[in-house]
Amino acid sequence: MTMMKTLKMTAMAVGLGAAPAMAADVEVLHWWTSGGEAAALNVLKEDLAGQGIGWQDMPVAGGGGTQAMTVLRARVTSGNAPTAVQMLGFDITDWAKEGALANLNPIAEEGNWDEVIPAALQKFATHDGQWVSAPVNVHSTNWVWANKAIMDELGLEEPQSWDDFVAALEAAEAAGYTALAHGGQAWQEATFFDAVVLSVGGPEFYQASMIDLDPEALGSDQMKEVFDRMGTLRGFVDDNFSGRDWNLATAMVINKEAAFQLMGDWAKGEFLNAGKVPGEDFLCFRFPGSQDQVTFNSDQFAMFSQGDGVSDEQAALAKAIMSPEFQIAFNKVKGSVPARTDLDASALDACGQRAYEDFKAAAASGNLYGSMGHGHANPAAVKNAMYDVITAHFNGEYDSETAVDELVTAVEISQ
Ligand code: GAL
């Protein structure tokens, strides 16, 4: 091992005091630590390695990025911002408002980003006329993942309505399976919530409550029904759900221990990484009652200003992320679809092609909604306040009526 490598590893081992990025390295803070996520990240690492750019890895485990954002704040506060950071939606806007992000306009102009990135993503990737991040993908959160062998064994069809879905969960439970594989972490429950809000009140209700934060919608009878349904779902998870990581819940579906999981399409990356085939070993369908809508989130890489302009490594990373070949190669592994809308989708698998078409159709018909659970509906302060109420209810601290009242108050005071 070289002296420099030893020094870097020692610095990494002491956490926040990571070694400063070397001339031709990018230091990337991210939360892609599951098997499927790591495999996708490798596509990016290899792309950069091919250009002679080194990669200093700064992984902070924890789906949805909550922990990563806490570590980021500490790093920036101690004057040691990473070169590039995986970020979601309103977090990007928050950092851009603080003036912390590098201006990527020269690279964006050269790559024609204005034309190839849809407005729904530009809303977060730009601030005050400047590109501040490079979107690598589009995920969506309102999916159900199913073990096909269990569905076949129980004679279950793809559920079309909430009642159908509850019947399928009951059948799986009666047959001795864990009906719903779940990890009890706030962001995972918030992921359920995205889909349940849509299924109860449709897109208008989602818009009013999750995006416009309308107190009437937040305090409505429909919201009580949302919490009632969350309670019903809670009844189908196993006893050991608390704190379980999302990918371990996916593994329960992969291993035929559990019938279903409600999770964004990064779950597909786990199935693929385990050698499973969509349509044969597992099925994906929209959460019943939200078939025409797409709640989306987009992983983007924001570059932290390191002095004047964008460094060569940052420019190379941004360009690599936006290249058409990379967007296809990466998203095939990750379970997401490309952030660019000008690509030939035939290279994606069946689930991916369906998701790419869904995404483009939803964007065109106005059925694309930012995911609350993944930072695309409202700013982090509001999102975290919602998380607290949703999780407290899920864990039995509030009944549905109290949860509705708490939600109204939490949203009001967090703005
Ligand atoms: C999401 C992110 C995905 C996936 C997931 C679980 O917020 O957009 O890329 O990594 O968290 O970690």
Side-chain angles (χ1 to χ4, degrees):
M1 188 179 295
T2 64
M3 172 70 90
M4 192 47 82
K5 198 157 182 200
T6 314
L7 282 176
K8 276 205 275 179
M9 287 182 63
T10 312
M12 292 291 286
V14 297
L16 297 181
M22 298 173 60
D25 273 10
V26 279
E27 190 203 7
V28 185
L29 193 155
H30 64 90
W31 63 92
W32 283 338
T33 55
S34 78
E37 290 173 331
L41 200 63
N42 265 337
V43 179
L44 183 56
K45 286 183 192 169
E46 276 163 21
D47 191 305
L48 289 170
Q51 302 181 47
I53 295 173
W55 180 282
Q56 220 178 302
D57 208 31
M58 182 69 197
V60 182
T66 317
Q67 282 96 308
M69 291 303 103
T70 306
V71 170
L72 173 63
R73 174 66 61 190
R75 289 278 309 260
V76 177
T77 307
S78 66
N80 183 23
T83 327
V85 181
Q86 177 194 359
M87 262 192 224
L88 297 171
F90 280 90
D91 290 328
I92 306 170
T93 311
D94 282 349
W95 281 106
K97 280 186 185 158
E98 291 192 27
L101 304 184
N103 178 4
L104 304 178
N105 278 4
I107 305 145
E109 273 156 32
E110 191 190 310
N112 209 14
W113 295 8
D114 281 346
E115 297 297 317
V116 299
I117 297 297
L121 303 194
Q122 287 198 30
K123 174 179 167 195
F124 300 110
T126 61
H127 182 71
D128 266 353
Q130 284 185 9
W131 281 88
V132 291
S133 60
V136 67
N137 66 3
V138 181
H139 271 301
S140 80
T141 62
N142 57 325
W143 288 107
V144 182
W145 303 89
N147 180 295
K148 184 160 183 304
I150 297 181
M151 288 190 70
D152 290 349
E153 192 176 293
L154 303 179
L156 296 173
E157 299 287 323
E158 184 176 311
Q160 299 299 320
S161 64
W162 167 253
D163 289 344
D164 281 359
F165 187 45
V166 173
L169 289 163
E170 279 168 352
E173 191 176 63
Y177 295 108
T178 294
L180 196 55
H182 175 57
Q185 297 173 345
W187 72 272
Q188 296 190 53
E189 276 125 35
T191 304
F192 283 25
F193 208 74
D194 279 351
V196 176
V197 169
L198 268 179
S199 80
V200 167
E204 299 76 21
F205 180 59
Y206 188 91
Q207 174 76 36
S209 59
M210 298 292 102
I211 297 175
D212 300 340
L213 306 176
D214 170 7
E216 233 172 82
L218 288 164
S220 63
D221 289 347
Q222 279 180 314
M223 193 55 81
K224 179 170 172 300
E225 174 69 14
V226 170
F227 281 107
D228 284 346
R229 288 189 184 186
M230 290 293 289
T232 303
L233 294 172
R234 166 71 182 84
F236 288 109
V237 310
D238 69 327
D239 290 343
N240 299 321
F241 79 103
S242 257
R244 176 188 287 138
D245 286 331
W246 68 272
N247 50 311
L248 300 182
T250 310
M252 291 167 70
V253 179
I254 293 175
N255 298 334
K256 209 175 170 234
E257 288 161 49
F260 303 105
Q261 182 186 22
L262 310 182
M263 191 41 66
D265 41 17
W266 45 91
K268 194 180 80 178
E270 294 304 299
F271 283 98
L272 299 179
N273 196 46
K276 302 296 175 190
V277 179
E280 279 177 32
D281 302 311
F282 67 98
L283 300 177
C284 63
F285 46 86
R286 294 278 168 197
F287 186 77
S290 72
Q291 283 92 336
D292 295 330
Q293 284 86 39
V294 173
T295 41
F296 81 96
N297 61 313
S298 164
D299 292 302
Q300 309 207 9
F301 284 88
M303 313 293 161
F304 275 73
S305 306
Q306 317 266 325
D308 294 338
V310 183
S311 71
D312 291 348
E313 306 82 64
Q314 287 176 320
L317 176 61
K319 274 188 209 166
I321 287 171
M322 294 295 287
S323 98
E325 300 73 31
F326 169 76
Q327 291 242 334
I328 293 283
F330 174 87
N331 286 297
K332 269 165 99 168
V333 182
K334 184 66 172 70
S336 37
V337 299
R340 302 176 65 115
T341 47
D342 61 334
L343 304 179
D344 174 6
S346 59
L348 301 171
D349 65 30
C351 276
Q353 290 184 22
R354 180 169 165 183
Y356 198 47
E357 289 317 310
D358 281 2
F359 168 60
K360 289 195 287 182
S365 66
N367 272 304
L368 192 60
Y369 295 91
S371 155
M372 179 280 292
H374 295 268
H376 282 65
N378 46 56
V382 177
K383 178 192 83 170
N384 290 331
M386 288 188 170
Y387 273 20
D388 289 347
V389 177
I390 294 164
T391 276
H393 172 268
F394 202 81
N395 287 298
E397 274 177 56
Y398 303 143
D399 62 18
S400 296
E401 223 152 279
T402 313
V404 171
D405 293 343
E406 292 288 336
L407 187 67
V408 174
T409 313
V411 170
E412 192 188 320
I413 60 180
S414 61
Q415 287 183 78

